[in-house]
Amino acid sequence: MHKLIDIKIGTQLILGFSIIMIFIAIIGYVSWLHTNQIADKTTDLYNHPLMVRRALGEFKSDILYIDREIQKMHLYKDDSDIVKSVQTIEVYKINGFNQLKVLQDRYLGPNKDVDMTNKSYIKWVKVQDETIRLFLEKNSNKQEIHQKLSVESDQLLDILIEHIQQIDVFAKNKGDSFYFSVINLNDMLNRQLYIYIFIVLIVMFLIVNIINKNIRKPLLELTQVSQQFRQGNLNVRSKYTLKNEFGILSLSFNEFIETLQKDLLINSKVSKITEVMLSEDEAHAFCHNLLTNLIVQTESQMVSIFLLNSEKKIFEKFESIGMNNESNKSFSATDFEGEFGAVLASREIQYIQTIPEDSQFSFHTVSGIFRPKEIITIPIILSNEVFAIISLASISVFKEINIRFIKAIESTLNARIGGVFAYRKTLILSKQLEHQNLELESQKNQLSLQSNELMEQNIELELQKKQLDEANRLKTVFLSNMSHELRTPLNSVIALSGVLSRRIVGKIPDEEYNYLEVIERNGKQLLSLINDILDLSRIESGRDDIEISSFNLNDIIEEIIEMLETLANEKGVRLIYEIDSNLPNIISDYEKTKHILQNIIANSVKFTEEGKIEIITKVKNDNIMIEIFDTGIGIDNKYLTDIFSEFRQADSSNTKKYGGSGLGLAIAKKYADLLNAEIKVESEIGKGSVFSIMIPINYANKEYCDEELPEYYHSNKKIIHKSVKENEIKTLLLVEDSESIIIQMKDILSAEGYQIQIAHNGNEALDLISKRIPDGMILDLMMPNIDGFEVLKRIRDEEITSKLPVIILTAKFVNKEELTFLKHNHINQLIRKGDINKKQLLNVVSEMLFSDDIKNDNNINNNIKQSDQNIPKLFILDEDQDSLLTMKALLSQKYLIFASENCEDIIEIVRKQNPQIIIMNIGLNRNHCINCLQQLKTNYQLQKIPVIAISASAMKGDKEKFITEGFDDFISKPIDFKILLPTIERLIYGDK
């Protein structure tokens, strides 16, 4: 019986539930059997009496329908009606035989009942068939046929109905029999089921009662023990000892109480020793109280504390209780000797047990000498270093609770002892600081004097900074003035050499004629040097901004090759580059990237006398690498570090042979640094050089959307340029205030047959459009007075120009809001200013003008502003005689020239001669020239005469300053004759 009680509760639950599940399964099985029996009876009821009576009903209906149709046949006059009736009778007749077949299969009575019915039906059907046959014969007497066969048919029908009635009665009785048997069976099965359920309930009650008793008793025992323990009885224990789960729980509960009791005792000890440790701050008193309490709490007999000396080599006794002088000897902190060696090595509490009798450890009492059996050593760690050791010794075995107590206070000991000795150290340092403060006070006075001296030095440095800023400003002014002074004579050199070369061609010997080419070429080289110096100055001053755009390197390289191809061909050098159609667009500064590649490729052309220069592009990680291979003179390795320095070439002897300032590669390197690009070079004397340029695909690794970047067209874009035929000349309105862009665009587009109109500002553009609507417009955004945004808005507001095709040409960085405005106003394309690619420009213009065949029906003929029958008059104001002579040489063949060296009498001369245009050379005395301009512009009769400013100033923003001051246009020196003449004609005659 005891073994049964020891069965685990889980096992008892499983057994109880298993028994209950078995009984439930039995009840389910019995119910299933009962249900099947009732279902079988119900199936028999359905398949036999019910199906038989249903078949009898249909059979009887078929007979009555056939008889009704036979009765109606003698009334039909039309044979077609008889035929339809016959067809209906056939259907009922066949269905009758089908129902007889059902009776044969399902009828449970004597088979002869069905056989007799079948025979009677066949006889009756034969009589009906005979009646139908006679009815269908021609010339038959239908009334007579009906009367003759009606009697026989009725007799057979009565017999048939009698047989049907007999079967029906049997089926009805059989159905009643089935029903009553099902009722009896159901009653019997229900009684059996009630008995089974009653038995199961009794068994379940017994099982639940037994399990409840086995669970409730131990729970009650554990609950009572818990309540007593909670009320403070720490010695109470559970007496439930069975081997089931509650017995195990009872044992665990007793062990838990035992452990908790020990923990409470340990916590009490820890609390007491903590109070002792907090009671003192003076080191010796603290250690004495601590050691005294440790002896009591651990039941030990000897205790001491050793401290690490200031040299950190020896541990010396600080305080001890119960130990003699021999046991308190100092020991090494580095040799790990004695019982303290393991503590120093492991930095953990060491517990030494079973100490032999011959050990040197001993302490003296009034009763004699005793030797300890166990020793506990505790390391005190501060700043990751053992700085103290506590040693406890006992003549008996340490209790387990005392060991746990020592481990519990380890961290507290470390913290508190560390704090006490840190306080002790602080007191010592405090005394030292008092002495040092006196010294610092004297040093403070000295520093105050030094501070005054530094303030005076800072004032001097601030003055030097201002002087440096002024020097930097003067440097910029000097570069501007130097540019002015150099460009002024260069203007005469280049312009006059060009005039002479056109006028005396074929009139002097070729050798002397070549002198002019030398003059012009050297003048242009000097101009290139000035431009390089200005570029270098802008870079070093930090005023060279980076303008981000999206473009393809194929475009830049093709343009550079086209520009340098003539020079290379003259030297017999082949320029080789195969376009990489898979080269991705890069996001960087278009102009600076072009400058880098142009300077390096031009350098290769310059120093290559024969062979080839090959350019290869490829994608490498997030960069595009451009490699430029040449077969030139090569560079010695010792000079490779100098070629990117200003005014330096690899070998100074090359300067005489090849010329050059040595700034090209320096500027390329500085631009590369600005764009986070990298330039490397490998070379061998006599074999050539390889320049490798690594340009990031995305400058600054920033995410850009399509709307944030100006576009440069890809070189792999399909060219759809369409040439202009004579009978379909297209007119383009170019709205642009930059003369260089006007000449460039006009030169490209006019050569293709486009008629170009020029407007220099927004007002002029709107005036021209009001007179004649062009086929398309190329619009600059940044112009004085009315800018391109306002022009675009106004033409879109007018219905007649709402669909005028517009291409935006700008150097402005278009932000997201501005780009949204442009798209909303239906621009065809946005082109970034710079070195415009001819093929791409023609492609865009052709696509704009010819894709949709835009036609305007409201064009108004453009009026010519002025007849050019008379020679126009031109007035030149120039204080420089050489420059004045140059201008006259350039313009005297086409214009009547008037000139003056000062503006004192400018109003009188201009009013008297009535020139069509004024050219004003801006010398160093700029304010003097501005005053002259203002005199003209404030005179009502003279203010409409256009004034062109000519200056050697070529710094960034100079042209905009001249335009802002009131000049109609600006041309920098040296003067390009191809730019000057179209500018004068445009201002005199307007744009045709």
Side-chain angles (χ1 to χ4, degrees), residues 395-462:
I395 60 175
S396 59
V397 177
F398 282 107
K399 295 179 181 179
E400 187 267 340
I401 190 171
N402 293 331
I403 301 297
R404 290 179 57 191
F405 163 71
I406 291 172
K407 291 181 178 179
I409 64 171
E410 181 182 9
S411 59
T412 306
L413 282 174
N414 275 280
R416 183 57 185 151
I417 293 175
V420 168
F421 281 93
Y423 174 71
R424 181 175 182 240
K425 188 175 181 181
T426 301
L427 291 177
I428 296 172
L429 290 175
S430 177
K431 292 179 181 180
Q432 294 175 352
L433 285 173
E434 287 180 6
H435 177 70
Q436 292 174 356
N437 283 337
L438 296 175
E439 295 179 357
L440 288 174
E441 187 66 28
S442 63
Q443 293 176 2
K444 176 185 175 183
N445 295 329
Q446 294 177 1
L447 289 173
S448 178
L449 296 175
Q450 293 176 359
S451 176
N452 293 332
E453 293 177 1
L454 288 174
M455 288 180 65
E456 294 177 0
Q457 293 176 2
N458 285 335
I459 294 172
E460 293 179 5
L461 289 173
E462 185 67 25

Side-chain angles (χ1 to χ4, degrees), residues 483-502 516 519-524 526-527 878-890 921 950-952 972-977 980:
S483 171
H484 180 277
E485 290 299 326
L486 289 175
R487 285 173 182 269
T488 299
L490 276 177
N491 177 56
S492 299
V493 172
I494 296 174
L496 288 178
S497 62
V499 172
L500 288 175
S501 65
R502 288 191 295 275
L516 295 175
I519 294 171
E520 186 174 7
R521 182 171 65 251
N522 283 278
K524 290 181 178 179
L526 185 55
L527 177 62
D878 196 337
E879 63 184 9
D880 184 72
Q881 289 295 329
D882 291 342
S883 177
L884 186 59
L885 178 63
T886 302
M887 296 294 293
K888 288 181 178 180
L890 287 171
N921 185 13
I950 293 179
S951 174
S972 65
K973 293 182 180 180
I975 298 171
D976 190 339
F977 186 75
L980 178 61

Side-chain angles (χ1 to χ4, degrees), residues 614-633:
E614 186 174 4
I615 305 168
I616 297 175
T617 57
K618 57 186 175 182
V619 178
K620 190 173 183 181
N621 298 329
D622 294 328
N623 305 286
I624 294 181
M625 176 181 279
I626 305 101
E627 294 180 308
I628 302 165
F629 300 82
D630 68 56
T631 57
I633 61 175

